């Protein structure tokens, strides 16, 4: 039994592929979600000088390393897009796999970091600073995980030269996840 | 974006600039001067985000309404946070006093100072 291609990949009434427009809408809604969390964090932080005693325990170097990892994975995502534009599916898939590897590295480092912090007694309920820390970084981590899963699916198709337009779509999402981390890093790791 | 719609910049070069900015944003705050921390940590974060959005996400090559759509969300978010911030960051006003928040600050400061002495 065959199914027709979903209309979202073909219709261009808006002047751009609907799939890509959908990704931008996802990002627009994510701005409100992450913006709300970060905005709440900033306004509470300004009113709670005692949080400085807690934030001093986050590890700047680990945060910086993870920023490096995400920036590098973003480079791989945009190189995958470049390969997709050349209709080089296997090349795009290879770069998407590197991007996914970056996401995996990020999550492994994060889990080691969190294990260490929890062992030292800094849990999500120990203080409002840590509540924000685990909520913001945890939600971001879930986005990294979701991006990795989607990227593996897109890469599997791209390897066969199919649905190459999706390489750019998942790339746009991944760069947004990178942008969120670019703001989380100074807020959680540098502002002591 | 179609392949012939635009020439790609050197993505590796842009990545190099992002890494250089990352190094500055980590080293700047080590000087422990408030203004330099604000500029290097938060100012550079804005620059890094702009570079990623422009050169990796190619927002400037999209239809204009994409930027308006994303921009309007940022404006709404800033309005919401801006409207609420004065009541959250201050613990008292002309006709109100947030006892719970003030107590939390006192408790947290005392606990933090105790920790530092150990």
């Amino acid at each position: 039994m065959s199914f027709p291609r979903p209309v979202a990949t073909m219709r261009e009434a808006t002047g751009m592929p609907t799939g890509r427009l959908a990704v931008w809408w996802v990002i627009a809604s994510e701005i409100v979600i992450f913006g709300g969390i970060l905005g709440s964090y900033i306004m509470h932080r300004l009113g709670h000088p005692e949080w400085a005693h807690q934030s001093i325990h986050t590890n700047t170097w680990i945060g910086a390393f993870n920023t490096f990892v995400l920036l590098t994975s973003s480079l791989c995502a945009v190189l995958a897009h470049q390969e997709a534009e050349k209709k080089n599916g296997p090349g795009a898939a290879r770069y998407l796999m590197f991007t996914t590897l970056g996401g995996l590295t990020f999550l492994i480092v994060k889990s080691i970091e969190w294990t260490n912090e929890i062992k030292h007694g800094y849990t999500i309920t120990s203080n409002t600073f840590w509540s924000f820390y685990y909520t913001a970084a945890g939600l971001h981590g879930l986005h990294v995980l979701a991006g990795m899963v989607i990227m593996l699916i897109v890469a599997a198709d791209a390897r066969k030269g199919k649905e190459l337009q999706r390489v750019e779509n998942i790339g746009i999402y991944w760069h947004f996840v990178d942008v969120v981390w670019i703001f989380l890093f100074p807020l959680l790791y540098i502002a002591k | 974006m179609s392949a012939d719609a635009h020439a790609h910049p050197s993505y590796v070069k842009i990545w190099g600039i992002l890494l250089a900015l990352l190094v500055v944003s980590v080293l700047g705050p080590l000087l422990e001067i408030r203004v330099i921390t604000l500029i290097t940590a938060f100012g550079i974060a804005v620059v890094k985000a702009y570079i990623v959005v422009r050169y990796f996400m190619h927002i400037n090559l999209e239809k204009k309404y994409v930027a308006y759509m994303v921009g309007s969300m940022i404006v709404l978010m800033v309005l919401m946070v801006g409207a609420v911030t004065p009541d959250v960051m201050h613990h008292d006003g002309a006709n109100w006093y947030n006892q719970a928040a003030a107590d939390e600050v006192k408790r947290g400061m005392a606990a933090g100072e105790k920790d530092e002495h150990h």
Side-chain angles (χ1 to χ4, degrees):
Chain A
M1 187 177 174
S2 65
F3 293 94
R5 280 165 63 87
V7 71
T9 58
M10 322 236 297
R11 188 175 54 198
E12 293 195 20
T14 51
M16 63 191 286
T18 312
R20 199 165 79 224
L21 177 61
V23 174
W24 281 110
W25 267 118
V26 167
I27 288 170
S29 61
E30 297 276 10
I31 287 170
V32 181
I33 294 169
F34 280 107
I37 291 177
L38 296 185
S40 300
Y41 172 81
I42 292 168
M43 63 178 131
H44 277 89
R45 182 75 199 256
L46 291 171
H48 288 272
E50 82 277 14
W51 285 16
H53 293 297
Q54 303 299 323
S55 64
I56 203 161
H57 299 294
T58 61
N59 190 320
T60 307
W61 298 106
I62 290 181
F65 176 74
N66 260 349
T67 309
F68 163 74
V69 169
L70 276 194
L71 288 174
T72 308
S73 72
S74 253
L75 170 70
C76 293
V78 81
L79 291 176
H81 170 207
Q82 199 172 33
E83 291 305 311
E85 282 191 337
K86 293 179 199 160
K87 310 285 181 211
N88 177 7
R94 194 171 50 248
Y95 278 119
L96 285 181
M97 294 308 286
F98 284 135
T99 312
T100 311
L101 197 63
L104 185 66
T105 308
F106 178 90
L107 290 180
I108 289 172
V109 170
K110 201 115 230 17
S111 61
I112 294 168
E113 180 191 17
W114 280 20
T115 305
N116 196 37
E117 281 158 356
I118 291 166
K119 269 187 189 166
H120 282 86
Y122 306 118
T123 66
I124 195 164
T125 55
S126 61
N127 175 280
T128 324
F129 167 79
W130 292 103
S131 298
F132 269 108
Y133 173 83
Y134 286 109
T135 305
L139 187 64
H140 176 265
L142 283 176
H143 280 74
V144 171
L145 189 61
M148 287 165 61
V149 172
I150 299 166
M151 215 167 298
L152 288 174
I153 296 167
V154 173
D157 273 343
R159 193 170 292 116
K160 298 173 205 155
K162 285 160 58 182
E163 309 288 3
L164 290 181
Q165 81 284 356
R166 289 181 182 165
V167 175
E168 181 180 16
N169 294 351
I170 185 61
I172 292 172
Y173 169 86
W174 192 261
H175 300 313
F176 173 75
V177 171
D178 189 11
V179 168
V180 172
W181 184 258
I182 283 173
F183 287 107
L184 278 177
F185 171 57
L187 286 171
L188 300 178
Y189 293 88
I190 293 182
K192 301 288 191 188
Chain B
M1 270 137 277
S2 63
D4 54 0
H6 59 93
H8 284 299
S10 166
Y11 292 124
V12 176
K13 198 171 151 189
I14 291 164
W15 172 73
I17 293 168
L18 286 167
L19 292 191
L21 288 172
L22 169 64
V23 170
V24 176
S25 68
V26 172
L27 296 183
L30 293 180
L31 297 173
E32 295 187 356
I33 301 168
R34 196 178 164 85
V35 180
I36 293 181
T37 299
L38 284 173
I39 293 169
T40 53
F42 299 104
I44 284 182
V46 173
V47 175
K48 275 194 289 188
Y50 171 77
I51 291 174
V52 171
V53 172
R54 163 128 196 199
Y55 294 103
F56 284 179
M57 296 170 86
H58 303 117
I59 198 166
N60 55 319
L61 301 172
E62 294 286 12
K63 290 273 172 194
K64 275 267 186 292
Y65 68 80
V66 170
Y68 295 145
M69 196 168 88
V70 171
S72 61
M73 292 301 158
I74 294 171
V75 170
L76 284 173
M77 190 262 295
V78 169
L79 279 177
M80 183 207 69
V81 172
V84 179
T85 298
D87 282 358
V88 176
M89 67 176 282
H90 296 125
H91 299 154
D92 54 26
N95 299 306
W96 60 279
Y97 182 66
N98 188 343
Q99 183 71 51
D103 288 349
E104 183 61 29
V105 173
K106 241 185 248 172
R107 203 168 35 240
M109 292 302 273
E113 277 156 24
K114 201 173 146 193
D115 277 354
E116 275 170 20
H117 287 128
H118 283 116

